[in-house]
Amino acid sequence: MLDRRSVLLLLPLILAGCAGWQSVLDPEGPRADLLANLFWVFTAIVAAVWLMTMAVLVLALLRRRAARADPLVLEPEAERSMARAVGAAAALTAAIVVALTLVSYGAQRALFDSHEAELTLLVKGHQWWWEVTYEDAQPSRSFTTANEIHVPVGEPVLLKLRSSDVIHSFWVPSLAGKMDLIPGRENLLIIEATREGVYRGQCAEFCGWQHAHMAMTVVAHSAEDFERWRESQISAAKPPDNPVRKRGMEIFLTRPCVMCHQIRGTPAAGRVAPDLTHFGSRLHLAAGTLANNRGNLAAWIIDPQGIKPGAHMPLVKLGAEEIEPLVSYLEGLR
């Protein structure tokens, strides 16, 4: 059992979870605003009910009546007063429940009133990473990336959510509520950012051993920056520009890596693992497990199971002299 001092020490740690870059109480989009307001309305009403209950309890204790000489003798006036008090409390409880239900219903209607958007993304959940395809009426302008979503500020973006294996749940608390990804079904979700920035998301449905390491990042740009980013992503990977990176490309194309990953502009056309065409431009690797830098990338290539046990990335035997060129090649895919 926790004593009072332990509870007081733990409280700041618990409340710290309500802030930061992954919090429903830090909304940066209209739908997230709606959910945050709903949270505060419910919290305020529940707090008021608790305070009223405690006030009545304290009042009852202070006005405690003396024991009656004969407990079987009824006091009609007192009985009527208590009946009226219980009736009023029941009516107030029912009114509060109905009011909260109506507020919640109104919020749900506002959240799902429209699924129209200029930009449509197909987001597919895998154990344990996210595949993101930017759809376009012109197939040549459609492209696929992984674990990172870029959106223009102030523009609703429609997400078509699917799963390839088990149930996942897409949740970027600062931008929208969560929505499940269910095998054999397509769910729709709109996200919108009102401010430029980087927002963290997380799979919110337990989906296996590495569920906790299935994060994604949403980067909100100005419209001009987003168009520049999109044009860069549509293009194929640039050929290596120095001998070291050329050697790295040879290693990649002659090892099992090529069986799973795709790099547009090369013979690598695997579709069961993240597309690496512009891997070097991403902020993280292994679905948010590590920052995308040279050291972490080398560690991930050498021992993926040590970093993310159970991940489908196998251990590929490489010579010590092959690590540096391979890391240089992948790092340069921007």
Side-chain angles (χ1 to χ4, degrees):
M1 294 290 290
L2 293 175
D3 58 19
R4 186 178 301 174
R5 182 177 298 177
S6 299
V7 172
L8 291 175
L9 290 174
L10 287 175
L11 191 58
L13 296 176
I14 296 172
L15 293 177
C18 299
W21 72 323
Q22 184 177 303
S23 170
V24 293
L25 302 184
D26 186 22
E28 295 293 348
R31 285 165 176 78
D33 270 331
L34 195 61
L35 292 172
N37 291 337
L38 194 63
F39 170 85
W40 287 119
V41 168
F42 270 66
T43 301
I45 292 177
V46 169
V49 169
W50 184 81
L51 288 174
M52 290 171 60
T53 304
M54 291 299 104
V56 171
L57 177 61
V58 171
L59 186 62
L61 291 173
L62 293 176
R63 297 182 59 185
R64 187 175 182 179
R65 294 181 299 174
R68 287 176 293 181
D70 185 356
L72 298 180
V73 176
L74 295 177
E75 298 177 7
E77 184 59 32
E79 293 294 328
R80 282 194 290 272
S81 296
M82 287 190 283
R84 285 195 293 270
V86 171
L92 182 59
T93 301
I96 290 173
V97 170
V98 171
L100 290 178
T101 302
L102 292 175
V103 170
S104 177
Y105 176 72
Q108 288 283 332
R109 287 198 63 181
L111 281 172
F112 300 105
D113 63 342
S114 171
H115 286 125
E116 295 181 357
E118 292 290 326
L119 183 61
T120 299
L121 277 59
L122 171 60
V123 178
K124 189 178 291 185
H126 303 270
Q127 287 182 314
W128 292 274
W129 61 284
W130 305 90
E131 179 182 0
V132 183
T133 300
Y134 283 71
E135 297 186 338
D136 196 281
Q138 302 179 46
S140 62
R141 294 185 59 77
S142 178
F143 62 91
T144 299
T145 182
N147 303 320
E148 197 167 291
I149 293 174
H150 291 244
V151 298
V153 167
E155 184 176 316
V157 177
L158 173 62
L159 305 184
K160 297 159 64 175
L161 303 174
R162 300 178 190 169
S163 173
S164 68
D165 37 46
V166 300
I167 297 177
H168 302 279
S169 189
F170 183 95
W171 192 27
V172 183
S174 293
L175 301 182
K178 62 181 180 180
M179 179 67 75
D180 284 353
L181 293 78
I182 302 172
R185 177 186 174 92
E186 181 176 282
N187 286 335
L188 304 178
L189 179 70
I190 294 277
I191 63 170
E192 180 178 349
T194 53
R195 186 174 63 84
E196 290 183 47
V198 179
Y199 306 99
R200 189 179 190 276
Q202 173 70 42
C203 177
E205 180 74 29
F206 180 74
C207 57
W209 192 2
Q210 289 299 327
H211 161 70
H213 290 148
M214 188 173 170
M216 91 284 294
T217 305
V218 178
V219 183
H221 303 272
S222 65
E224 298 77 15
D225 287 345
F226 172 73
E227 285 304 322
R228 277 194 287 273
W229 175 84
R230 178 155 67 172
E231 292 300 325
S232 71
Q233 296 292 309
I234 290 172
S235 63
K238 294 179 180 176
D241 54 0
N242 63 55
V244 174
R245 292 197 63 232
K246 286 180 182 175
R247 174 60 184 146
M249 181 177 175
E250 290 174 4
I251 295 168
F252 185 91
L253 296 178
T254 55
R255 294 296 190 277
C257 322
V258 73
M259 303 299 292
C260 298
H261 294 284
Q262 180 180 37
I263 298 178
R264 283 175 275 129
T266 76
R271 300 301 298 270
V272 297
D275 184 303
L276 300 180
T277 305
H278 298 286
F279 168 79
S281 66
R282 295 175 196 160
L283 298 173
H284 302 96
L285 57 87
T289 305
L290 299 169
N292 190 3
N293 58 48
R294 198 174 182 83
N296 286 338
L297 177 55
W300 175 246
I301 292 171
I302 293 170
D303 187 13
Q305 295 302 316
I307 294 172
K308 196 170 178 177
H312 297 311
M313 171 91 167
L315 177 62
V316 178
K317 291 184 179 179
L318 297 168
E321 73 285 359
E322 295 177 312
I323 300 297
E324 170 68 17
L326 184 57
V327 168
S328 295
Y329 173 61
L330 295 173
E331 190 182 36
L333 294 172
R334 295 179 180 276

